[in-house]
Amino acid sequence: MSTQIVHVDQGSPAQRAGLRPGQWLLRINGHPIHDVLDYKFYSYDSRLELAIREEEGQPERLVRIQKPEGLDLGLDFDTYLMDKQRSCANKCVFCFIDQLPKGMRPTLYFKDDDARMSFLLGNYISMTNLSEEDVERIIAMRVSPLNVSVHTTNPDLRSRMLGNRRGGESLGYLSRFAEAGLKIMCQIVVCPGWNDGEELRRTLDDLMDLHPSVESVAIVPVGLTRYRQGLEPLEPVTKEKARAILNVIDSARERCARRFGQAFLYASDELYLKAGLPLPPVEYYGDYPQLENGVGMLSLFEQELRGALWMAEDAMPAPPPFAIATGLAAAPFMERMLDLCRQKCPGLRARVIPVENEFFGPGVDVAGLLTGGDIIRKVRGQLQGDALWLPDCMLRHGETVFLDDVSLEQMEQAIGAPVRVVPVDGGAFYDALFPEEAND
């Protein structure tokens, strides 16, 4: 338990009540505070009585606080969770972390499987490390939405895929969460020969039976790196297999739409790219509930860009020449986006440089898993003074470092050209192209 206060927001209810860093928060309205869920749940009310201890071994005292309901107390603790983060107890046959090479930064090897992170940050959990107490607490606190990695609703198959005998048993929590009215977002990583075909059909039908608690289901293809020595042999998702998977999903979406008036089952963009098929229209994605799972990201990008171009002047001034580096999968899409821009800006001098993923291997072709080293090797000598544009999904969140710890500054020095990072957002891409128009 880590409930020591390290910071008190200026002007917050806690600051006005005289709380300060170094004190320990023990209870709120008589409820022990073990972690961030306890803190957020029990501090929601407008009238609070906090049990505070100045230092270890000293007697506690009570502090009463009145505040608007739902307003945060304004306390920060020495860890975000106020507890240790729970790691994964599985040995999934498709685990991407098990396919990482040695020598990368330690944080990349941590396998998260924490229900609290699922609720607070949208991380996906397998449910195999939940205790009965955890399940009851989730239901009592109405921790929702939960993001659950389902993969299959066949208990025996799920146990084998997760490498955990509790894989099948923990599926029962889905029904309990649904009966309690909690909202659940699901994902399925499809592995050919394991949970595709008839197994995928069964899983999608079973999840439909849990609607409306199951609000959406994302189906994504397994990613295979070249570092699979000693791991379970898996087949890649080829063009033909991607099309077969999409056929199962499309059929299930038709059944879903007939039953509920909407289809809340979504294939990821990557499946369409692997299948060599056009992306679905924007109506396919509804309100984009699985955007963070790579479902509809490209469709939304195009929609935003088209909207910005439609509102623009008939002829736009061309920006300085540049090149866009991206993964092999998205390269044709970005070529098409540049062609759209040239309709309003014929003088646009921009090109796409597809980068093969040598670090992880050709089985990984998405932009977000490209390393700085691979980009440098590909673009060095090709820019001829042009700037290099990169999507922000390539970088560690909130930082300027790639997966292989190459920094933006090191890349600029290596390629001899400026590097610009642009959000994966059609409107932001338009603003980057035509900054004067954006500032008008």
Side-chain angles (χ1 to χ4, degrees), residues 96 99-104 108-109 225-227 356-362 364 369-374 377 403-405:
F96 195 83
Q99 302 178 71
L100 294 178
K102 295 180 180 179
M104 303 184 75
L108 290 175
Y109 300 99
T225 80
R226 61 189 179 92
Y227 301 100
E356 183 174 356
N357 200 321
E358 296 181 20
F359 186 88
F360 287 118
V364 178
L369 291 174
L370 281 174
T371 61
D374 280 344
R377 279 189 289 273
L403 280 171
D404 56 354
D405 288 334

Side-chain angles (χ1 to χ4, degrees), residues 298-356:
L298 298 183
S299 173
L300 183 59
F301 184 101
E302 181 173 352
Q303 182 186 20
E304 292 167 339
L305 180 58
R306 284 183 179 274
L309 290 169
W310 181 80
M311 297 179 65
E313 299 175 1
D314 288 340
M316 303 295 295
F322 65 94
I324 300 172
T326 189
L328 299 182
F333 172 82
M334 288 309 302
E335 289 278 12
R336 195 157 55 82
M337 294 303 100
L338 290 179
D339 288 341
L340 280 178
C341 295
R342 290 188 182 98
Q343 296 176 16
K344 284 290 179 77
C345 183
L348 179 65
R349 288 189 295 158
R351 57 201 170 95
V352 176
I353 301 179
V355 181
E356 183 174 356

Side-chain angles (χ1 to χ4, degrees), residues 155-370:
D156 291 337
L157 177 59
R158 190 169 192 262
S159 292
R160 285 191 287 120
M161 289 191 72
L162 270 57
N164 187 327
R165 60 180 180 81
R166 294 204 68 216
E169 170 192 330
S170 59
L171 283 171
Y173 298 148
L174 284 177
S175 299
R176 291 178 61 181
F177 294 150
E179 289 169 3
L182 304 185
K183 300 302 181 184
I184 307 169
M185 312 281 279
C186 299
Q187 78 167 355
I188 298 168
V189 176
V190 180
C191 302
W194 288 75
N195 60 339
D196 57 344
E198 184 61 24
E199 289 291 350
L200 179 59
R201 184 205 64 76
R202 164 188 169 155
T203 298
L204 295 177
D205 284 346
D206 287 346
L207 293 177
M208 275 189 263
D209 290 341
L210 296 177
H211 185 71
S213 283
V214 168
E215 286 194 328
S216 67
V217 182
I219 303 98
V220 305
V222 63
L224 304 179
T225 80
R226 61 189 179 92
Y227 301 100
R228 289 196 56 83
Q229 295 82 359
L231 299 178
E232 183 76 36
L234 291 179
E235 299 179 49
V237 177
T238 61
K239 179 178 180 178
E240 294 72 22
K241 291 184 185 299
R243 292 191 173 196
I245 293 167
L246 287 171
N247 286 338
V248 175
I249 298 170
D250 289 343
S251 177
R253 282 177 57 87
E254 291 176 4
R255 296 194 299 277
C256 190
R258 287 196 298 268
R259 288 182 63 181
F260 305 108
Q262 60 172 320
F264 48 87
L265 316 173
Y266 305 99
S268 69
D269 297 356
E270 192 180 357
L271 271 172
Y272 284 95
L273 296 178
K274 286 183 177 294
L277 296 174
L279 294 169
V282 293
E283 295 78 18
Y284 177 96
Y285 300 101
D287 58 355
Y288 293 92
Q290 291 274 2
L291 201 59
E292 294 298 320
N293 234 332
V295 177
M297 185 177 292
L298 298 183
S299 173
L300 183 59
F301 184 101
E302 181 173 352
Q303 182 186 20
E304 292 167 339
L305 180 58
R306 284 183 179 274
L309 290 169
W310 181 80
M311 297 179 65
E313 299 175 1
D314 288 340
M316 303 295 295
F322 65 94
I324 300 172
T326 189
L328 299 182
F333 172 82
M334 288 309 302
E335 289 278 12
R336 195 157 55 82
M337 294 303 100
L338 290 179
D339 288 341
L340 280 178
C341 295
R342 290 188 182 98
Q343 296 176 16
K344 284 290 179 77
C345 183
L348 179 65
R349 288 189 295 158
R351 57 201 170 95
V352 176
I353 301 179
V355 181
E356 183 174 356
N357 200 321
E358 296 181 20
F359 186 88
F360 287 118
V364 178
D365 55 7
V366 295
L369 291 174
L370 281 174

Side-chain angles (χ1 to χ4, degrees), residues 407-419:
S407 69
L408 284 178
E409 292 76 16
Q410 290 171 326
M411 178 175 288
E412 288 181 328
Q413 292 174 4
I415 65 177
V419 177

